[in-house]
Amino acid sequence: MSLALIAALPFLGALLPGLMIRSGKNACALVTGSVTALALLLLGLNAPAVLRGEVIHTRIDWIPALGLNVNFFLDGLGLLFAGMILGIGLLIILYARFYLSKSDPMGQFYTYLLLFQGAMVGIVLSDNILLLLVFWELTSLSSFLLIGYWKHLPEGRQGARMALTVTGAGGLAMIAGMLILGNIVGSYDLSVILENKEAIQSSDWYLPALILILLGCFTKSAQFPFHFWLPHAMAAPTPVSAYLHSATMVKAGLFLMARMWPVLAGTPEWFYIVATTGLVTMVMAAKIALFKDDLKALLAFSTVSHLGLITMLLGFGTAEAATVAVFHIINHATFKAALFMSAGIVDHEAHTRDIKRLGGLRTLMPITFAIATLAALSMAGIPPLNGFLSKEMMLEEAAHVVWGGNHWIMPVLATIGALFSVAYSFRFIAHTFLGPVRDDYPHHPHDPGIGMWAAPALLVALVIVIGLVPMTAAAWLVQVAANAVTGQEVEVYIKHWHGLESPALWMSLLAIGGGFVLLATHARWMAMWNAMPRPEAKAIFDAVILRVSHLANRITDRLHDGAISRYFAIGTVTIAAAAFYAFWTGTHTTGGRALLPIEAVPFLGWLALVLATVAIVIFHRNRLLTLVLIGIIGLTISVGFAYFSAPDLALTQISVEVATVILMLLALNFLPKQTPRESSPMRRFSDMAVAGISGFGIAVLAYALMTRDFAFPTIADYHIANSKPEGGGTNIVNVILVDFRGYDTFGEITVLGIAAILIYALTEALLRAGPANDRLLAWGPDQRRAGDRHPMMLVVATRLILPIALMVGVFIFLRGHNMPGGGFIAGLVVSIALVMQYMASGFAWTAARQKVDYHALIAAGVLIAAATGVGAWFNGMPFMTSDFGYVHPPLVEEFELATAAIFDLGVFLTVLGAVMLSLASLSRIALRAGETVNVEPFDIDPSEGRRITNEEAR
């Protein structure tokens, strides 16, 4: 369970910052850091086993039938990425504590950060691709919150939308690719998929799956042509930029390419798609970075370039190149996080990130200068820092790659990319920190306190240590991660000197020398860059989004015009057309079941249904008559259920009919009693045709199903055989509702409660000042009213009925597990009994004597049902699995105790609360419309023999 706990801790911890911020920012940061540190500690406890070559698994069955299991596994690659996510995340938490201003809601920031952290940890530990996809989409959603954290900045909001749009679209493509991959292998577990390279690469679906998965990876890791979202994400606070660009979101795509490398790599398709995309991204982004004046923009495009470098290495398809990619992932995380934090310090102290307004900070901010310079030199690949090592190894691999039969394309372009990297790294140092001190800084800069520079200083220390002693500091981690990526044992040997005969040496010297030349002549190149026309990715994206939005609006305006009849017509015609096509192109066989003889009673019931239905169509404008006819249809159907030996359905149907008809009659009181003529004769004719064709199709389908055997074995046999042994009840319908399909029932009562609360909310809206409220105030009865609104006979009858109805409700509730009944029916019976009390004496009078919070009833019902389901976990059973046992109290027969009764109690309370809250909402409308509130239970005072006046009633 430790892996599941590591993945869950950030999500659980996300609940704390919003609470702890009340105790101060230090307490908030401390609690947030403690959550991440605890997850890192648990990861560290598993590290020795992984370093020995073991793979740790945690398996939790969730929905096995769909292949969706909460499975996690930890190997070398997962250890590397989880360590980076949690380790750098801990440093980001420290840095953010001192970076964020007093006006920034820190609790909210840390909540978003932990949600994002949890999603990333979930990705790298998942052993099920469906679970991985869930976490993948969570990273897009949580990064949207982080990038748009500064909601007052338009560029922040736009950057968040852009990131969500691009990565979300790529995620949808990846979902399709992963599902194809799982279908090829026959399993959605990653550990199984990674063992089926031959089956995957020999499949006709390999290329579609590869392209779709790579679309998800390229969009997440900002590869060309999807690179443009990442620089615009720099509008986020610097802690977010440092986290996203170094160890988390942009590395998710690299992680997935590395994770799927054993089964997807090694083909020409992989090489040309992945290596080419990475190479183009590396060179293009490095060139753009050279001409950016915003420090974070420069670093953002440098990130895109280095992501392209790693993608290119993975695309080469060799174990050696994959090992170099793993090493550079580590190095890039260290120096890039430090660089972003350094840029944030400069912005925080000088109040600007514009290089043209900086310079000379070396003497004013010596600590920041040292940290940033060392990190930038590593990014440039200057020895003896860690970036130099992985850059040399990259150039060595590129020098031996043949692209399209040409031996020069790859090494030449890789050298050009490295040259640009040197140039923008040197520019970052020279134009920010070197030169004379200026007197026109927006704010006089100085080094901040240790709270802000401690985190980047620690990362730079890693840059130096890994650079000086790579075999001791990093080779062990690179090896276990590379073993996991390649699926084989690799030998890792990292060295500073490759010999004079190594092409990487001369390529590196050329890149460093060329970088110096580019920096020296930067002003000239900058002028040419500014004068050169070039496509702007943001403008293209905005134009595409605008056109797509306009097209969507046009389609929506044409199809969704607010007419529900139009929606029904379109849906019905579409379904009918599909059914007709299937019927016309399919094969047909004669049904083997003999028809039963028609008996008189069922025929009369069927005839009553037909006549009532036809009457509704003819008299549908008379709303009161229509409602009566609907009640007749419902009651007739309940009789039919009873006739076909379905007493549970009959009881449910008749209870629902009574309750809904009463509520609808009360609502109809405030509505016109006649529906105006709105449809033209042609429209009515077309509606009749659509309804007739569809009804005929349904009748044919029903006839075909009833006269043929089922194509698959029915599940009814399982329910019949296991209702008593597994569910503890002989009423199969009830056991299905509270056990076998208890999750469905839980969802249904939740929806019922939401519907009742929605009715209450709509009532609140109607009662606010406005046109609807004005119409209520001006409302008056449109028909003559009875002389006694609360007749004595009705009051006396309902008082007598109430205890009997309550007793019947309790009886039905208790017998439901073994005989027809249950919480749903009992809730409706009690609801009807209470509704009759309110009808007899008026809602206000009755409610004053029975003060029940119906919202609380609904909440209690849903919570009780949920608690019953959760309780199954403590018994080692799946969610919503009921348990039962038998007790033998003295002097009483043996009887059964079942958790299903507690679940049914939740159903009962929810149904009762929903009906009564709906009634309460209607009564509030009545009071606003001028209905009187009686002071006695009926209109005639029996003690005085006189009628109570309206004035007294009010």
Side-chain angles (χ1 to χ4, degrees):
M1 288 295 291
S2 62
L3 297 184
L5 183 58
I6 293 172
L9 267 176
F11 291 109
L12 298 175
L15 302 172
L16 299 177
L19 301 174
M20 294 305 300
I21 193 63
R22 300 175 181 271
S23 300
K25 293 188 174 182
N26 288 333
C28 184
L30 181 62
V31 169
T32 306
S34 299
V35 171
T36 302
L38 180 58
L40 187 60
L41 175 63
L42 292 176
L43 182 71
L45 294 176
N46 289 283
V50 176
L51 294 176
R52 291 194 300 268
E54 300 177 18
V55 179
I56 301 171
H57 290 270
T58 295
R59 300 185 180 277
I60 304 172
D61 290 341
W62 185 14
I63 311 178
L66 298 180
L68 181 54
N69 301 314
V70 185
N71 293 347
F72 298 97
F73 78 122
L74 182 66
D75 60 359
L77 183 63
L79 178 65
L80 168 63
F81 272 87
M84 288 194 307
I85 294 164
L86 295 172
I88 295 181
L90 195 58
L91 297 178
I92 293 296
I93 291 169
L94 171 64
Y95 179 80
R97 162 61 188 90
F98 299 94
Y99 178 87
L100 297 176
S101 67
K102 294 181 179 179
S103 60
D104 292 325
M106 185 176 289
Q108 186 181 98
F109 176 84
Y110 282 141
T111 296
Y112 295 164
L113 189 72
L114 287 176
L115 289 174
F116 179 75
Q117 185 182 99
M120 282 300 307
V121 172
I123 287 176
V124 301
L125 296 184
S126 292
D127 187 23
N128 184 281
I129 58 176
L130 300 181
L131 182 65
L132 186 148
L133 291 171
V134 172
F135 287 121
W136 188 275
E137 296 305 322
L138 282 177
T139 61
S140 295
L141 295 174
S142 52
S143 66
F144 171 82
L145 298 174
L146 282 171
I147 296 170
Y149 172 74
W150 280 337
K151 306 175 183 66
H152 61 283
L153 297 178
E155 56 269 26
R157 299 194 299 270
Q158 186 180 42
R161 289 195 300 268
M162 187 181 295
L164 181 62
T165 302
V166 176
T167 60
L172 292 175
M174 197 184 79
I175 289 173
M178 286 294 196
L179 291 177
I180 292 174
L181 209 60
N183 188 58
I184 294 173
V185 176
S187 172
Y188 293 115
D189 286 347
L190 263 174
S191 52
V192 176
I193 292 173
L194 294 178
E195 297 173 354
N196 286 272
K197 177 179 180 178
E198 296 299 327
I200 291 172
Q201 295 192 358
S202 62
S203 171
D204 294 336
W205 288 96
Y206 166 72
L207 185 57
L210 175 66
I211 293 173
L212 291 169
I213 292 172
L214 288 178
L215 280 174
C217 296
F218 290 166
T219 53
K220 190 73 83 173
S221 288
Q223 296 299 286
F224 177 84
F226 311 107
H227 62 283
F228 54 87
W229 73 263
L230 185 57
H232 289 282
M234 69 182 179
T238 298
V240 175
S241 302
Y243 201 32
L244 263 66
H245 291 215
S246 62
T248 52
M249 184 169 177
V250 295
K251 295 286 176 65
L254 299 181
F255 167 81
L256 191 60
M257 283 188 279
R259 176 59 80 202
M260 306 306 297
W261 195 93
V263 294
L264 296 182
T267 64
E269 296 89 346
W270 171 271
F271 171 74
Y272 282 107
I273 295 174
V274 179
T276 305
T277 300
L279 179 64
V280 171
T281 304
M282 172 187 171
V283 176
M284 176 209 63
K287 179 189 68 173
I288 297 174
L290 181 61
F291 299 106
K292 289 297 179 181
D293 292 325
D294 186 307
L295 286 178
K296 286 179 68 174
L298 185 156
L299 293 176
F301 276 103
S302 75
T303 298
V304 175
S305 177
H306 280 266
L307 294 174
L309 183 157
I310 299 169
T311 300
M312 177 186 71
L313 286 169
L314 292 171
F316 287 166
T318 64
E320 294 80 8
T323 304
V324 179
V326 169
F327 186 37
H328 195 68
I329 287 172
I330 298 173
N331 296 337
H332 179 260
T334 55
F335 66 67
K336 187 53 61 70
L339 281 169
F340 265 106
M341 292 186 203
S342 300
I345 292 173
V346 171
D347 186 22
H348 190 271
E349 300 300 324
H351 291 189
T352 183
R353 302 194 306 258
D354 190 348
I355 291 180
K356 293 181 292 186
R357 305 187 66 186
L358 296 171
L361 298 182
R362 176 177 59 87
T363 56
L364 298 176
M365 306 176 68
I367 298 176
T368 306
F369 165 67
I371 294 171
T373 299
L374 289 170
L377 290 175
S378 179
M379 182 169 64
I382 303 300
L385 303 174
N386 63 351
F388 163 76
L389 299 173
S390 52
K391 183 202 70 173
E392 290 285 295
M393 297 169 74
M394 178 274 293
L395 293 174
E396 183 71 30
E397 294 300 322
H400 299 92
V401 173
V402 179
W403 192 95
N406 190 299
H407 293 264
W408 293 99
I409 291 179
M410 193 64 70
V412 168
L413 290 179
T415 304
I416 293 174
L419 186 152
F420 282 129
S421 178
V422 172
Y424 66 64
S425 299
F426 286 165
R427 184 181 179 225
F428 179 89
I429 299 170
H431 290 187
T432 305
F433 295 99
L434 303 183
V437 176
R438 304 173 60 154
D439 57 4
D440 60 345
Y441 299 116
H443 185 268
H444 183 71
H446 57 81
D447 275 323
I450 188 174
M452 283 193 70
W453 60 259
L458 180 59
L459 290 167
V460 166
L462 291 175
V463 167
I464 297 171
V465 171
I466 294 174
L468 293 177
V469 285
M471 294 300 295
T472 303
W476 50 274
L477 183 57
V478 173
Q479 180 162 6
V480 294
N483 290 345
V485 172
T486 60
Q488 59 187 350
E489 288 289 331
V490 298
E491 184 176 350
V492 177
Y493 185 66
I494 306 171
K495 56 185 179 180
H496 293 84
W497 179 250
H498 296 267
L500 292 174
E501 69 280 1
S502 171
L505 171 65
W506 308 105
M507 295 163 70
S508 183
L509 290 174
L510 179 61
I512 295 173
F516 271 113
V517 172
L518 273 182
L519 179 63
T521 58
H522 181 267
R524 188 180 307 167
W525 292 107
M526 190 72 171
M528 294 175 59
W529 175 264
N530 291 332
M532 182 182 6
R534 58 187 181 276
E536 178 60 43
K538 178 179 179 298
I540 296 174
F541 174 81
D542 290 341
V544 170
I545 292 298
L546 183 62
R547 293 195 176 187
V548 170
S549 298
H550 285 167
L551 177 61
N553 288 335
R554 289 181 61 186
I555 295 174
T556 301
D557 292 341
R558 293 287 298 274
L559 295 180
H560 296 269
D561 57 355
I564 192 171
S565 59
R566 183 187 183 94
Y567 305 156
F568 283 149
I570 293 174
T572 304
V573 169
T574 303
I575 295 171
F580 178 78
Y581 173 80
F583 180 82
W584 188 261
T585 58
T587 57
H588 310 284
T589 57
T590 304
R593 289 186 176 182
L595 298 180
L596 298 176
I598 300 176
E599 298 180 3
V601 173
F603 176 76
L604 292 176
W606 172 82
L607 185 61
L609 278 176
V610 172
L611 293 176
T613 305
V614 172
I616 287 178
V617 175
I618 296 173
F619 302 109
H620 71 277
R621 289 188 177 84
N622 187 328
R623 294 178 174 179
L624 180 59
L625 178 59
T626 301
L627 190 56
V628 173
L629 291 171
I630 289 174
I632 292 174
I633 292 174
L635 294 176
T636 306
I637 290 175
S638 66
V639 172
F641 286 144
Y643 179 81
F644 288 112
S645 302
D648 280 281
L649 292 179
L651 284 172
T652 303
Q653 179 68 30
I654 194 169
S655 303
V656 168
E657 284 300 324
V658 173
T660 54
V661 168
I662 290 174
L663 292 176
M664 291 174 70
L665 279 171
L666 293 174
L668 186 59
N669 181 45
F670 305 101
L671 297 173
K673 305 306 181 288
Q674 295 288 328
T675 301
R677 290 181 176 271
E678 297 176 346
S679 302
S680 64
M682 182 59 68
R683 175 64 179 271
R684 291 198 298 273
F685 177 78
S686 63
D687 290 346
M688 186 183 302
V690 171
I693 293 173
S694 304
F696 178 75
I698 292 294
V700 171
L701 178 62
Y703 177 82
L705 288 174
M706 289 187 292
T707 55
R708 288 161 174 80
D709 294 325
F710 292 113
F712 302 99
T714 174
I715 198 174
D717 295 335
Y718 172 84
H719 289 151
I720 294 171
N722 292 277
S723 176
K724 180 65 175 178
E726 299 290 336
T730 56
N731 182 0
I732 300 172
V733 174
N734 184 266
V735 174
I736 291 173
L737 293 176
V738 300
D739 190 330
F740 296 137
R741 298 189 63 176
Y743 195 76
D744 289 355
T745 306
F746 178 68
E748 289 162 3
I749 65 171
T750 303
V751 171
L752 180 62
I754 292 172
I757 294 171
L758 180 60
I759 292 173
Y760 179 84
L762 291 173
T763 303
E764 285 287 315
L766 286 174
L767 298 182
R768 293 196 190 104
N773 184 62
D774 294 340
R775 287 195 296 271
L776 275 177
L777 292 174
W779 178 84
D782 56 355
Q783 294 181 354
R784 186 178 177 182
R785 296 302 176 100
D788 49 348
R789 297 168 57 248
H790 307 294
M792 183 186 302
M793 289 294 294
L794 179 60
V795 173
V796 173
T798 54
R799 297 297 187 273
L800 294 174
I801 291 173
L802 179 61
I804 299 173
L806 293 176
M807 183 178 63
V808 171
V810 171
F811 175 70
I812 289 176
F813 174 82
L814 293 176
R815 77 198 295 260
H817 207 48
N818 292 290
M819 299 184 71
F824 192 87
I825 300 171
L828 288 172
V829 169
V830 174
S831 298
I832 293 169
L834 292 177
V835 167
M836 294 302 295
Q837 305 300 313
Y838 288 88
M839 290 179 62
S841 297
F843 185 90
W845 186 91
T846 311
R849 286 151 181 83
Q850 184 176 338
K851 298 178 180 179
V852 178
D853 188 343
Y854 303 123
H855 296 85
L857 271 183
I858 296 172
V862 174
L863 289 176
I864 289 172
T868 308
V870 172
W873 290 343
F874 296 96
N875 198 29
M877 302 297 289
F879 183 63
M880 286 294 172
T881 302
S882 65
D883 197 6
F884 62 94
Y886 296 92
V887 295
H888 308 268
L891 305 178
V892 180
E893 287 187 2
E894 174 188 88
F895 65 90
E896 177 187 346
L897 292 177
T899 59
I902 305 175
F903 180 82
D904 240 0
L905 177 62
V907 175
F908 171 84
L909 294 176
T910 305
V911 172
L912 179 60
V915 174
M916 299 311 297
L917 184 59
S918 303
L919 178 64
S921 301
L922 292 172
S923 71
R924 295 176 66 206
I925 295 175
L927 291 175
R928 181 59 59 89
E931 288 284 351
T932 58
V933 179
N934 46 304
V935 296
E936 297 291 342
F938 28 68
D939 294 336
I940 302 296
D941 186 350
S943 64
E944 300 181 10
R946 66 180 184 87
R947 180 181 299 279
I948 299 173
T949 65
N950 286 338
E951 288 73 16
E952 291 177 312
R954 292 183 186 277

